[in-house]
Amino acid sequence: GFVGGKRRPTPEVIARIQGRVGRLTLNRPQALHALTTDMCRRLIDALLVWRDDPGVELILFDHSGERGFCAGGDIRMLAQSGAGDGAAAREFFHTEYRLNHLLHHYPKPTVAIMDGVTMGGGVGLARPCTFRVATERTTFAMPATGIGLVPDVGGAW
């Protein structure tokens, strides 16, 4: 939307409370909701606020658009960072893994709607959830194993 004649940036994560549900919508459809460091931070921030909010009884993860839940991490950024000093890539994985750990130990029920593509970081987001809902369109994979990356969130176990 527009604010004061300027276009307001579209948030990559939409966090809101609907009834007793804390709803987190991945909102980067042009990139199949590939996770950025900022998206992981925003998810962590909302989860920490809602963890102690008695009005929020359940957390729901979903996505905008039609193509899929989450294609993984932002590969373009990771490749660019890896071609340089790797600092941005290390920051991303540190933040993403903090998010995964938080979800594995979250005290409230969590639900991931894994409609469409759910790969890599999308698996990392959905796997720790209490409930994972797949649809007839779900593609669930850890493709990074093909390049030698050991999968997180228990994928190798």
Side-chain angles (χ1 to χ4, degrees), residues 20-106:
R20 296 184 171 279
V21 176
R23 185 171 174 191
L24 294 164
T25 300
L26 304 181
N27 191 37
R28 199 172 172 231
Q30 75 283 4
L32 258 171
H33 310 291
L35 294 172
T36 65
T37 304
D38 187 58
M39 290 171 74
C40 292
R41 280 192 196 109
R42 290 175 186 270
L43 293 168
I44 290 168
D45 290 347
L47 289 166
L48 290 176
V49 168
W50 294 340
R51 180 173 58 187
D52 299 319
D53 183 341
V56 176
E57 294 181 3
L58 177 124
I59 307 299
L60 175 71
F61 293 91
D62 64 4
H63 67 279
S64 65
E66 299 295 321
R67 295 176 50 213
F69 176 63
C70 179
D74 185 348
I75 298 299
R76 180 173 295 134
M77 178 280 294
L78 293 170
Q80 289 171 348
S81 177
D85 65 4
R90 285 191 301 277
E91 179 185 12
F92 169 76
F93 283 115
H94 175 79
T95 307
E96 182 197 21
Y97 290 1
R98 280 184 51 231
L99 171 60
N100 298 152
H101 184 268
L102 176 60
L103 283 169
H104 272 288
H105 298 282
Y106 205 70

